[in-house]
Each structure stands twice: as structure tokens, then as C-alpha cells.
Amino acid sequence: MSYGHVKSGDRINLQTLREELEVDTTYALVKTDKMEVIRMALHKGKVVDRHTVDSEISVLCLDGEILFHIDSTAETLTKDDWLYLKEGQPFSYSVKEDTILLVTIVFGERESN
């Protein structure tokens, strides 16, 4: 589930967010024409099958442990580990411990109609 966005200049704690939100909530922090930043809380055991995103992505593990399968390699992320995925790069993941991620998606140039 995703909630509203923070405003420019808002200060938040990425571990606890705001008192009125549950710690295990996925929260869209910012979305603009150029990027989206999401704080994702994932429960142990969650598995996401192989897929791609048509944008560059960075993933910062704030807490927990998650195993990413990227192309033919596997990378375990734990607290303070960072991962970059190029546009269209196939990946999947499985959550080994309850995990909090900060995901940044950078949109490429958009075609105008």
C-alpha cells in the first residue's frame, strides 16, 4: 500500500517515518517527472519474481537482509548496503529478514505525444 508524498523541505526519519504510520508500511516519499523515491518495508519470506523496470534504480538497505538475483548473480544486501540497477536489467528478490529499503527510480527522457 502506498501513501501520500512528503513536501519539499519536510524532514522525516526513514526508520520510523511518522508516528501515525506503521513501521511496515510502503510509503511513496516523492514522485516527480524525473524520479520517484519509495521507502519499502518488506516482511521476511516475501518473494518477487524476475522482472524489469524501464528506469535506472538505486536500492539502499536501511535495515534487514534481502537477496537480489541480478542476471546470473546473487547479491545479499544488509544494513547500509547499496545497489544500482541499470534500465531494463532483470532482477528478482527474496526477503531473508524483515527489511526496510530506500528505492530511488530515475526516469529517462519521456516521449511526448
Side-chain angles (χ1 to χ4, degrees), residues 35-68:
M35 71 170 196
E36 183 170 13
V37 181
I38 305 163
R39 180 213 180 255
M40 294 180 70
L42 305 168
H43 291 291
K44 178 180 179 177
K46 181 174 179 68
V47 174
V48 171
D49 293 331
R50 182 181 160 119
H51 67 287
T52 61
V53 175
D54 293 333
S55 299
E56 294 177 303
I57 302 172
S58 74
V59 179
L60 174 62
C61 183
L62 299 172
D63 200 13
E65 182 178 345
I66 186 169
L67 178 65
F68 272 84

Side-chain angles (χ1 to χ4, degrees), residues 23-34:
V23 173
D24 64 351
T25 299
T26 294
Y27 187 83
L29 298 169
V30 174
K31 184 170 185 179
T32 69
D33 290 340
K34 297 178 183 177

Side-chain angles (χ1 to χ4, degrees), residues 38-100:
I38 305 163
R39 180 213 180 255
M40 294 180 70
L42 305 168
H43 291 291
K44 178 180 179 177
K46 181 174 179 68
V47 174
V48 171
D49 293 331
R50 182 181 160 119
H51 67 287
T52 61
V53 175
D54 293 333
S55 299
E56 294 177 303
I57 302 172
S58 74
V59 179
L60 174 62
C61 183
L62 299 172
D63 200 13
E65 182 178 345
I66 186 169
L67 178 65
F68 272 84
H69 296 276
I70 306 150
D71 298 324
S72 60
T73 64
E75 295 289 341
T76 298
L77 273 66
T78 58
K79 186 174 181 172
D80 298 330
D81 287 340
W82 181 83
L83 175 71
Y84 165 75
L85 297 168
K86 66 184 178 182
E87 181 179 339
Q89 188 168 21
F91 70 95
S92 63
Y93 61 80
S94 57
V95 182
K96 301 304 179 188
E97 294 178 7
D98 287 351
T99 298
I100 300 174

